[in-house]
Amino acid sequence: MHQTLEMRALNVEENMTSLIMIFGATGDLAKRKLFPSLYRLYNKGKFHKFAVIGVARKSMPNDAFQASVRDSVVSALGNKENIDEFISHFYYQPHDVSDSSSYGSLKTFADQIDEHHKLEGNRIFYLAMAPEFFGPIALHLKSDGLTDVSGYKRLVIEKPFGHDLESAKELNKQIRTAFSEKEVYRIDHYLGKEMVRNIEVIRFANAIFEPLWNNRYISNIQITSSETLGVEERGRYYESSGALRDMLQNHMMQMVALLAMEPPIRLTTDEIRSEKVRVFRALRSVEGDEVNEYFVRGQYGEGEMDENSVPKYRDEPMVDKESNTETYVAGKVMIDNFRWAGVPFYIRTGKRLKVKSTKIVIQFKDIPMNLYYQTEKMLNPNLLVIHIQPEEGITLHLNAKKAGGHLDAQEVRLSFANTGIHAMNTPEGYEKLLYDCMRGDATNFTHWDEVAYSWAFVDKISAEWQKTKADFPNYVSGSKGPDAADKLLEKDGFFWWPVTDLEVDICK
Ligand code: NAP
């Protein structure tokens, strides 16, 4: 054990001195997630030396930018401790990323800040901007010398990484002209979530689970990520994305990989990634007519949420009145390898659903002979529930004798709840990811191979769906989603474990 931890430590550089250049520094992501996360790292004393250059088109003096950083920290965290000291590390440079001529002055400015704060030529480029800019920015960073540094250089890139496999390949080609694969940190913010990171520990640090973690003892695995929000102001982006590209290709498939991967021989980035890639290689490809056997799509209609009427997706701003874009997707993913042959991984995600919840349910097979079958209630299957958000924890569902009864069994739940982190997409996820990036630990970022396999899988589904116009809308806002998603499991003799029923103990 000691040796393993040592190996993990050897995997990272631990150099917390860096110039962080945030492209898109006046945007929503920077304000809501990045600045508060940097502040928390700063207040925890994680940085040795650092400075931030914010980049966007808007013209603004430094002090106005620093004031906006202060506002975003205070409104996100309500904390002002050391705030003046913190914001004094922030600088602003107006720059249009599509204007090739202004990268030169950005380089000069970055070199000056580097020199002033003695940042050892370490540079992190964080692209918090629309994806069409990712490739051109990377090319310019190289051609205009911003990546010619004496320390490390790293590129942090937000989702979506491409629109399909072809566009992802093209983007990757552009990025790789300036950065090696080891220098690219593709964000999947689910990999920053505490309980997603915990999957590895739950599986590989417990003698009671790993022997059961296979097709002999597990009947099916269910991953649900449901949102109550609609598309909000993101209609334009969402129209070209949909739930399949926005959620399934990245977050849901990453969770499948973490649940299904073999134990890595060491806890190093390369070993973990290579085990995840092996899962992607074993995915059963679904194409043509099979798509509608394995996958279900949906789009929300109007309905009631918290007693307020909400419009249907097609009436949202910047959405086509005849839109064929799915706001819900459910599917059965099969992993054709020795461990998982025959075990369905059911995944579902959607907007405007009844509850906001991300959960994983591992359903174990029934015991070979049920001695308690004749009692008043049939035995419940054993479940291991991993609560990802909003609550965080684990519940193990067992059967035990009912107190005082004869030999009647009843369901009991053993729960562990992580306390203190309650909001979806809390800054904490970004905080961990930023910290990892500065330490040079790329384990919780997606490797290109994972992205490519995942797109190859998803592209076949979207190709089939593009051929036909769906009968949308097919679920009411505030419901559990389309009926067809239930039928998907009924065909196999299963049902979705209702996420609301699984919450009980952990919320207390
Ligand atoms: P946003 O609010 O629209 O911000 C975009 C930023 O880019 C602004 O600072 C904007 O400032 C700047 N910008 C636009 N065009 C520019 C140009 N030509 N040159 C320089 N700067 C330019 O977007 P966002 O919501 O922050 O999202 C950014 C990225 O993060 C996207 O890839 C998104 O998919 C991803 N993401 C966001 C969230 C989230 O919660 N917001 C979550 C996950 C992923 P100016 O207009 O002043 O130039």
Side-chain angles (χ1 to χ4, degrees):
M1 185 65 183
H2 176 67
Q3 203 178 16
T4 313
L5 289 174
E6 217 171 41
M7 300 301 292
R8 180 77 178 243
L10 285 176
N11 191 28
V12 298
E13 291 168 22
E14 294 281 356
N15 187 338
M16 298 299 288
T17 294
S18 193
L19 172 60
I20 304 167
M21 300 185 70
I22 300 179
F23 291 76
T26 56
D28 179 68
L29 183 76
K31 285 185 184 155
R32 286 196 306 118
K33 309 282 167 64
L34 304 184
F35 301 150
S37 299
L38 288 168
Y39 173 78
R40 287 173 64 101
L41 287 171
Y42 176 76
N43 253 2
K44 288 178 184 168
K46 298 290 187 193
F47 296 129
H48 298 148
K49 292 178 204 147
F50 87 107
V52 175
I53 298 181
V55 175
R57 283 170 306 183
K58 186 176 169 181
S59 166
M60 171 169 46
N62 242 2
D63 53 359
F65 179 57
Q66 291 181 346
S68 81
V69 175
R70 175 205 295 269
D71 287 350
S72 68
V73 171
V74 174
S75 66
L77 305 173
N79 191 353
K80 289 185 184 155
E81 195 191 338
N82 304 321
I83 191 87
D84 289 331
E85 167 77 35
F86 173 70
I87 62 172
S88 71
H89 293 257
F90 282 72
Y91 300 85
Y92 185 74
Q93 176 79 356
H95 165 77
D96 185 337
V97 295
S98 45
D99 173 10
S100 302
S101 65
S102 64
Y103 281 85
S105 34
L106 192 58
K107 174 182 161 44
T108 309
F109 188 55
D111 290 344
Q112 281 167 2
I113 300 296
D114 188 325
E115 175 74 26
H116 178 71
H117 286 269
K118 312 225 170 324
L119 300 174
E120 302 169 11
N122 294 327
R123 219 162 266 188
I124 292 174
F125 304 94
Y126 197 121
L127 308 191
M129 295 192 53
E132 63 263 31
F133 295 120
F134 295 165
I137 296 175
L139 292 173
H140 272 295
L141 293 177
K142 165 98 176 153
S143 61
D144 290 280
L146 279 110
T147 53
D148 296 341
V149 287
S150 54
Y152 63 69
K153 62 179 195 308
R154 294 179 188 143
L155 181 75
V156 186
I157 192 160
E158 274 293 337
K159 77 165 192 184
F161 197 89
H163 178 75
D164 53 17
L165 181 58
E166 272 321 298
S167 58
K169 275 184 183 166
E170 181 54 33
L171 172 57
N172 205 45
K173 207 165 97 189
Q174 292 175 323
I175 285 170
R176 292 291 302 278
T177 57
F179 297 89
S180 70
E181 178 62 30
K182 277 193 186 313
E183 293 169 330
V184 181
Y185 290 69
R186 295 179 194 83
I187 293 253
D188 183 320
H189 67 267
Y190 269 57
L191 298 180
K193 291 187 187 298
E194 190 60 30
M195 292 308 296
V196 174
R197 290 181 172 212
N198 217 333
I199 294 172
E200 180 189 311
V201 184
I202 294 166
R203 287 193 53 195
F204 303 133
N206 288 302
I208 60 166
F209 291 134
E210 194 47 32
L212 307 180
W213 212 264
N214 56 53
N215 52 10
R216 266 178 292 158
Y217 298 102
I218 290 179
S219 73
N220 73 92
I221 293 183
Q222 302 179 10
I223 309 173
T224 300
S225 182
S226 65
E227 294 174 48
T228 49
L229 290 179
V231 72
E232 310 283 291
E233 305 305 316
R234 294 170 71 221
R236 192 194 308 277
Y237 158 73
Y238 203 81
E239 274 289 87
S240 63
S241 161
L244 193 63
R245 294 187 172 97
D246 190 47
M247 288 293 295
L248 192 133
Q249 183 271 339
N250 37 50
H251 313 314
M252 306 299 279
M253 295 308 286
Q254 282 294 321
M255 287 193 277
V256 169
L258 289 167
L259 289 162
M261 72 187 216
E262 294 299 314
I265 45 176
R266 282 188 201 90
L267 290 178
T268 58
T269 305
D270 289 347
E271 296 296 349
I272 293 173
R273 282 175 157 183
S274 91
E275 293 304 340
K276 282 167 71 189
V277 168
R278 282 155 60 90
V279 173
F280 286 111
R281 285 172 50 204
L283 287 176
R284 183 182 301 172
S285 171
V286 177
E287 51 195 301
D289 295 343
E290 286 170 340
V291 167
N292 293 321
E293 268 174 53
Y294 282 76
F295 281 85
V296 165
R297 56 180 158 163
Q299 186 190 80
Y300 61 82
E302 55 196 15
E304 295 252 316
M305 306 282 303
D306 293 332
E307 297 179 10
N308 294 318
S309 306
V310 292
K312 58 178 183 282
Y313 175 71
R314 288 177 176 177
D315 283 346
E316 298 278 20
M318 291 173 286
V319 168
D320 184 341
K321 292 280 174 224
E322 294 293 315
S323 175
N324 203 32
T325 301
E326 76 287 348
T327 59
Y328 179 101
V329 58
K332 173 163 92 168
V333 174
M334 300 302 291
I335 298 165
D336 291 329
N337 65 15
F338 213 80
R339 185 186 283 261
W340 294 114
V343 180
F345 284 65
Y346 298 111
I347 53 186
R348 58 177 169 168
T349 181
K351 290 191 177 294
R352 280 268 190 258
L353 297 171
K354 192 171 171 187
V355 283
K356 171 172 145 177
S357 177
T358 303
K359 281 193 195 340
I360 297 167
V361 180
I362 293 113
Q363 179 175 344
F364 292 89
K365 286 188 175 169
D366 290 338
I367 46 176
M369 191 180 93
N370 188 350
L371 293 171
Y372 303 93
Y373 221 65
Q374 298 303 319
T375 58
E376 62 193 46
K377 190 169 174 287
M378 280 170 55
L379 285 188
N380 288 297
N382 294 136
L383 304 178
L384 174 66
V385 184
I386 304 176
H387 308 262
I388 309 284
Q389 64 185 15
E391 72 274 18
E392 300 185 339
I394 314 164
T395 314
L396 185 59
H397 294 226
L398 304 170
N399 291 295
K401 190 179 121 7
K402 204 171 184 173
H406 175 51
L407 272 179
D408 290 351
Q410 68 173 0
E411 187 204 31
V412 293
R413 299 178 179 195
L414 308 184
S415 292
F416 152 74
N418 251 4
T419 50
I421 304 167
H422 289 296
M424 192 157 173
N425 289 349
T426 50
E428 285 79 359
Y430 274 89
E431 181 184 329
K432 289 188 209 110
L433 293 170
L434 279 164
Y435 183 53
D436 283 353
C437 175
M438 291 191 77
R439 291 166 62 237
D441 183 353
T443 313
N444 292 303
F445 296 81
T446 38
H447 187 275
W448 164 244
D449 292 347
E450 298 168 47
V451 176
Y453 277 113
S454 186
W455 272 128
F457 179 75
V458 159
D459 277 357
K460 296 194 180 98
I461 302 165
S462 49
E464 186 60 21
W465 282 352
Q466 270 160 25
K467 283 188 202 161
T468 52
K469 190 140 179 69
D471 189 14
F472 286 159
N474 61 351
Y475 69 97
V476 175
S477 283
S479 70
K480 64 180 173 24
D483 293 339
D486 293 339
K487 299 209 173 79
L488 186 74
L489 273 70
E490 278 166 22
K491 288 192 292 204
D492 298 342
F494 299 122
F495 60 88
W496 293 106
W497 289 93
V499 286
T500 40
D501 287 1
L502 300 173
E503 267 166 22
V504 192
D505 294 343
I506 209 104
C507 291
K508 286 179 184 160

